[in-house]
Amino acid sequence: MSEVKKGYIRPLDFKHGRIDMSHGGGGRAMAQLIDELFLRAFDNEWLRQLNDQACFAVTTGRMVMATDAHVVSPLFFPGGDIGGLSVHGTINDVAMAGARPLYLAASFVIEEGFPLADLRRIVDSMAQASQEARVPIITGDTKVVEQGKGDGVFITTTGVGVVPEGVSISGERARPGDRIIVSGAIGDHGMAIMSQRENLRFDTEIVSDTAALHGLVTAMVMAVPDIHVLRDPTRGGVATTLNEIARQAGVGMMLDEAAIPVNPQVAAACEFLGLDPLYVANEGKLVAICAAGDADRLLEVMRAHPLGARAAVIGEVTEDPHHFVQMKTAFGGRRIVDWLSGEQLPRIC
Amino acid sequence: MSEVKKGYIRPLDFKHGRIDMSHGGGGRAMAQLIDELFLRAFDNEWLRQLNDQACFAVTTGRMVMATDAHVVSPLFFPGGDIGGLSVHGTINDVAMAGARPLYLAASFVIEEGFPLADLRRIVDSMAQASQEARVPIITGDTKVVEQGKGDGVFITTTGVGVVPEGVSISGERARPGDRIIVSGAIGDHGMAIMSQRENLRFDTEIVSDTAALHGLVTAMVMAVPDIHVLRDPTRGGVATTLNEIARQAGVGMMLDEAAIPVNPQVAAACEFLGLDPLYVANEGKLVAICAAGDADRLLEVMRAHPLGARAAVIGEVTEDPHHFVQMKTAFGGRRIVDWLSGEQLPRIC
């Protein structure tokens, strides 16, 4: 690093400095930003290859690849920020195939004038999330756009992982009679963002559930290798995720409203804002669908894991030529849980 | 597809329609955009898995991963657009490890109000580039940001590829005495963008060289498996790429100005705008560094390929504790080809 920095006039000012167009220009300023910020935060043997791509070893089998652009606003929110979120989000997409996430790539689109201090805070949060999850960020890219042509920073992360033998998890495997499980209380992430945007105050602050779920998934897959479906209900919430799966598998679903865990302050905030927690984004929860006979065993291992302590069966898969997701309400009625048709919570992730 | 569309009110209007926030919301509108635009254009067996990640088979060996955000402005330029560019750019980053690119992921950040007709044109261009290169786009993501918080569309593509046995290509392998080769005339992409921005008119239009180089690389690696370094000189041009390699390998370089191929209209435009073609971006050229004894054989196979017809040796690697890139000028002098210190051509890719 010392050799690299010889040519720089002075180190980056992470207290008062700002991103300018030269940081995306491919020249000395960009090299300095990469050295003093990204390489230092994400340091690992693959990134140190310093090529435009990173090389890693693989063994025969099946791999998965997932990508997610993160445009969450605000960038910092109760319980997290865009940095950690962008690591968790893609790790989770990889893990939802039952796969073990191996490596991440990260690409940044930064708005000119963005404070270096904020960028460093975000990058440090990514580095911490990546280290805690033991999934290194092995390659990346940085672009800068003019002020007013972006919004602080957008981060796209892409992940690859390896699928254990015998595991075949996919949306179209939901079958009538299967049980539908959620790993915990729903709506926390979306309402953490919304309560900050709307400046709501509660006795207990609503905190995003942003978390990497691959450890939980590993425990689940080891206990029940024949899990049919896993998916993380992010944008559009549990309702949208279940509609996607119903459509993909050609089935219906019947939920039990009373069984769906929702934290009281989330329920209160939703009521205040006129939102339904079923449509609110989660960033540290998953939906699992498995054969009825596997449900008890799966619930048991989920509840033994800190990220699945409040796991619950919330319904079952049905035969339905219309692929409707329905719900038995707390008052004994039934209603259709339709697709979200408009945009409820823009830029939630 | 027909079953999927049943719930939609009417098909997307690709003539007059525009992106709105609901297209990024995770609900029905987003599902419609994915069905009617992305799935249709990119159709392949992996994408049809319709999960949040795509699964593929691998065999033991070494893989590479590369990611690139594309923020080029304007989105459409002589010889290409952001769509094709985003496919070529990442294929090239994967290929520069000597790897065979296998799969791509694509993530979109779209500005509210962006015309659907333009989005379709861009997506079609990506689909065509992907099909011509035989590298499928197997997974993706779409986000929408409010008007004034983006700039049309940004596309991040991430690629994975497999490295043939016996191939070990990396920037730090440049050795004193090695020959430096470029695959053709330099500066075309950057000057195509600049001449459109500056509204310059020439007798012959300057056209971007955007192209996927993996076919050329395969031929090169088969002929000379011991190529030391490959890199595509994009942002910052050949000058920046060579400085990066010199720093990485701890060597110097001596270029021969007279040997560097530059198209006459590019040279003229550079002179007019006060730019040096050595610093101007390329999107369909590569720099190769190999042992002196391999240079003739490598040049021969490069020139036999349409994308390497004007390949030329432009200099050699030297011992230099300062890692300077120098050039013998056409007038018999010498000058240092330094890192670009500011930003010459913002948003060139």
Side-chain angles (χ1 to χ4, degrees), chain A residues 262-300:
Chain A
V262 185
N263 284 321
Q265 66 271 33
V266 169
C270 277
E271 205 174 306
F272 184 79
L273 294 172
L275 298 172
D276 181 342
L278 273 174
Y279 292 90
V280 176
N282 310 276
E283 291 290 343
K285 297 297 179 317
L286 60 79
V287 167
I289 297 179
C290 67
D294 284 334
D296 286 346
R297 174 88 188 103
L298 196 56
L299 265 187
E300 189 189 335

Side-chain angles (χ1 to χ4, degrees), chain B residues 13-347:
Chain B
D13 175 3
F14 281 109
K15 218 161 171 181
H16 306 293
R18 290 180 179 274
I19 289 289
D20 63 47
M21 295 305 291
S22 75
H23 290 115
R28 199 192 292 277
M30 191 171 91
Q32 184 181 18
L33 182 71
I34 291 171
D35 287 342
E36 296 184 18
L37 180 61
F38 296 109
L39 291 185
R40 204 169 280 185
F42 299 154
D43 183 56
N44 61 59
E45 60 184 291
W46 302 275
L47 206 56
R48 261 178 259 131
Q49 293 170 4
L50 286 179
N51 294 317
D52 283 342
Q53 73 295 115
C55 183
F56 52 89
V58 288
T59 49
T60 309
R62 288 171 304 151
M63 288 185 73
V64 294
M65 184 178 193
T67 194
D68 246 330
H70 296 85
V71 299
V72 64
S73 173
L75 297 170
F76 302 94
F77 48 81
D81 59 54
I82 190 173
L85 184 70
S86 71
V87 168
H88 296 152
T90 293
I91 285 178
N92 291 348
D93 275 350
V94 169
M96 294 307 129
R100 187 165 59 86
L102 294 177
Y103 304 106
L104 292 175
S107 115
F108 297 79
V109 176
I110 312 172
E111 187 186 9
E112 180 189 17
F114 190 64
L116 280 169
D118 287 350
L119 185 59
R120 181 156 75 171
R121 198 173 145 202
I122 288 165
V123 168
D124 284 346
S125 161
M126 291 182 78
Q128 194 190 333
S130 149
Q131 279 149 23
E132 283 173 5
R134 296 175 187 272
V135 183
I137 297 163
I138 64 170
T139 190
D141 184 50
T142 310
K143 294 290 190 306
V144 178
V145 295
E146 303 88 343
Q147 206 145 27
K149 303 290 186 182
D151 194 17
V153 60
F154 303 142
I155 305 175
T156 293
T157 47
T158 307
V160 292
V162 63
V163 186
E165 226 177 313
V167 169
S168 173
I169 292 171
S170 177
E172 92 278 343
R173 289 196 63 216
R175 291 285 170 274
D178 281 359
R179 295 299 186 263
I180 304 165
I181 297 173
V182 291
S183 62
I186 66 170
D188 291 9
H189 175 73
M191 294 321 293
I193 302 274
M194 285 307 288
S195 59
Q196 176 152 350
R197 281 195 206 154
E198 305 283 332
N199 216 359
L200 300 182
R201 290 275 166 269
F202 299 95
D203 291 346
T204 317
E205 190 187 37
I206 301 177
V207 171
S208 168
D209 59 344
T210 178
L213 294 167
H214 58 318
L216 174 62
V217 168
T218 299
M220 292 168 66
V221 164
M222 280 176 65
V224 180
D226 191 34
I227 296 172
H228 294 171
V229 184
L230 286 177
R231 199 161 292 178
D232 54 338
T234 56
R235 264 183 297 178
V238 169
T240 302
T241 294
L242 293 180
N243 271 287
E244 281 172 12
I245 298 169
R247 170 180 121 170
Q248 207 178 336
V251 297
M253 299 191 183
M254 182 59 72
L255 307 181
D256 176 4
E257 187 169 23
I260 300 172
V262 185
N263 284 321
Q265 66 271 35
V266 168
C270 278
E271 205 174 307
F272 184 80
L273 294 172
L275 299 172
D276 181 342
L278 272 174
Y279 292 90
V280 177
N282 311 274
E283 291 290 342
K285 298 295 179 320
L286 60 81
V287 168
I289 297 179
C290 67
D294 284 333
D296 286 347
R297 174 86 188 105
L298 195 56
L299 265 187
E300 190 187 335
V301 295
M302 290 176 77
R303 288 179 177 158
H305 191 283
L307 294 175
R310 292 183 62 192
V313 173
I314 62 165
E316 66 177 81
V317 179
T318 59
E319 263 184 85
D320 181 347
H322 300 101
H323 317 153
F324 285 145
V325 176
Q326 299 186 67
M327 186 157 75
K328 286 181 230 163
T329 65
F331 309 105
R334 281 187 183 194
R335 67 174 176 93
I336 287 187
V337 178
D338 201 2
W339 290 79
L340 191 64
S341 49
E343 168 57 304
Q344 191 188 44
L345 305 171
R347 299 184 60 186

Side-chain angles (χ1 to χ4, degrees), chain A residues 3-4 6 8 21-32 35 39 48-71 73 92-97 103-109 138-146 148-151 154 156-160 162-163 169-172 230-232 234-236 240 244 247-248 321-323 338-347 349, chain B residues 3-4 6 8 21-32 35 39 48-71 73 92-97 103-109 138-146 148-151 154 156-160 162-163 169-172 230-232 234-236 240 244 247-248 321-323 338-347 349:
Chain A
E3 188 264 323
V4 161
K6 229 174 13 191
Y8 304 146
M21 295 305 292
S22 76
H23 290 117
R28 197 190 295 275
M30 189 170 92
Q32 185 181 14
D35 287 341
L39 291 186
R48 261 178 260 133
Q49 292 169 7
L50 286 179
N51 294 316
D52 282 342
Q53 73 294 119
C55 184
F56 53 89
V58 288
T59 49
T60 309
R62 289 171 303 151
M63 288 185 72
V64 294
M65 184 178 194
T67 194
D68 248 330
H70 296 85
V71 300
S73 172
N92 291 348
D93 275 350
V94 168
M96 294 307 129
Y103 304 107
L104 293 175
S107 115
F108 298 80
V109 176
I138 64 171
T139 189
D141 184 50
T142 309
K143 295 290 190 308
V144 178
V145 295
E146 304 87 343
K149 303 289 187 182
D151 193 18
F154 303 142
T156 294
T157 47
T158 308
V160 293
V162 64
V163 186
I169 292 171
S170 178
E172 94 275 344
L230 286 177
R231 198 160 292 177
D232 55 336
T234 56
R235 265 184 297 179
T240 302
E244 281 173 14
R247 169 180 123 172
Q248 208 178 334
H322 299 101
H323 317 155
D338 200 3
W339 290 79
L340 192 65
S341 51
E343 167 58 303
Q344 190 188 44
L345 305 171
R347 299 185 59 188
C349 61
Chain B
E3 187 264 322
V4 163
K6 230 174 10 189
Y8 302 149
M21 295 305 291
S22 75
H23 290 115
R28 199 192 292 277
M30 191 171 91
Q32 184 181 18
D35 287 342
L39 291 185
R48 261 178 259 131
Q49 293 170 4
L50 286 179
N51 294 317
D52 283 342
Q53 73 295 115
C55 183
F56 52 89
V58 288
T59 49
T60 309
R62 288 171 304 151
M63 288 185 73
V64 294
M65 184 178 193
T67 194
D68 246 330
H70 296 85
V71 299
S73 173
N92 291 348
D93 275 350
V94 169
M96 294 307 129
Y103 304 106
L104 292 175
S107 115
F108 297 79
V109 176
I138 64 170
T139 190
D141 184 50
T142 310
K143 294 290 190 306
V144 178
V145 295
E146 303 88 343
K149 303 290 186 182
D151 194 17
F154 303 142
T156 293
T157 47
T158 307
V160 292
V162 63
V163 186
I169 292 171
S170 177
E172 92 278 343
L230 286 177
R231 199 161 292 178
D232 54 338
T234 56
R235 264 183 297 178
T240 302
E244 281 172 12
R247 170 180 121 170
Q248 207 178 336
H322 300 101
H323 317 153
D338 201 2
W339 290 79
L340 191 64
S341 49
E343 168 57 304
Q344 191 188 44
L345 305 171
R347 299 184 60 186
C349 60

